[in-house]
Amino acid sequence: MDQVNTNTDFLLRLGKTGAEIGCKSIKGIEEELEYEYIQEGGLNDSVHIRRKPVSKPVTLTIERYITDGEGQDAMPCGAVFPDPVAVIVKRDGRKGPQDAPFLEYHFYGCVVAKKSCSGLHAEEAGLLTETVTLLCQYMEIKR
């Protein structure tokens, strides 16, 4: 039986700089392909499915904590990452030689399209977070 892994030990690595960013959540990893349907005439009841050219980018939504000591913003709005951005998922928080990731998402041609910060509430305690939306040309999954 295959081992099932948790989704709680992950990080974001930015390009060749290797800057690793701890994240609260990464969601909205979406890659969508569009198809057109071509129906033949006559008595043939078959439909051909043809892939259309890509018209939507891959999107990635990252929610991360705002921490002390951050020099400059690693992901300013409008930033372009020519090198791959990777989301690395590790196995159940284990440390040691078996610490190698079991799953990596690599995103190419990324642009920071949107940023938003969490609200401030005087009556509620909470941690400051920011949400970053990346638009990417394409994605690869490495296992």
Side-chain angles (χ1 to χ4, degrees):
M1 181 177 208
D2 292 332
Q3 177 182 355
V4 178
N5 289 283
T6 63
N7 63 351
T8 57
D9 192 4
F10 58 91
L11 60 94
L12 181 74
R13 184 175 294 148
L14 297 177
K16 286 186 179 178
T17 63
E20 294 182 347
I21 297 176
C23 302
K24 177 181 177 184
S25 69
I26 297 177
K27 49 192 164 187
I29 299 175
E30 295 180 10
E31 181 179 32
E32 182 179 347
L33 300 175
E34 293 184 44
Y35 294 89
E36 64 180 336
Y37 309 113
I38 302 169
Q39 185 171 359
E40 292 183 6
L43 299 174
N44 190 348
D45 284 340
S46 67
V47 174
H48 299 281
I49 301 171
R50 303 271 187 234
R51 187 174 146 203
K52 290 182 179 181
V54 176
S55 62
K56 295 180 184 178
V58 176
T59 60
L60 175 66
T61 304
I62 302 154
E63 188 174 11
R64 69 185 201 104
Y65 295 109
I66 299 173
T67 60
D68 282 344
E70 287 186 14
Q72 67 183 53
D73 190 358
M75 294 186 292
C77 200
V80 177
F81 296 100
D83 300 320
V85 172
V87 174
I88 299 166
V89 184
K90 297 185 179 181
R91 295 189 187 276
D92 299 330
R94 294 184 213 146
K95 306 296 179 210
Q98 72 276 17
D99 194 33
F102 82 93
L103 182 62
E104 294 183 22
Y105 296 93
H106 290 251
F107 299 91
Y108 297 88
C110 296
V111 176
V112 178
K114 181 180 175 182
K115 283 184 84 164
S116 62
C117 293
S118 63
L120 303 172
H121 303 282
E123 296 179 3
E124 292 179 19
L127 299 174
L128 287 174
T129 61
E130 72 177 4
T131 303
V132 180
T133 302
L134 292 179
L135 300 178
C136 311
Q137 291 176 347
Y138 66 97
M139 169 181 75
E140 284 182 353
I141 300 173
K142 297 184 179 184
R143 297 177 197 262

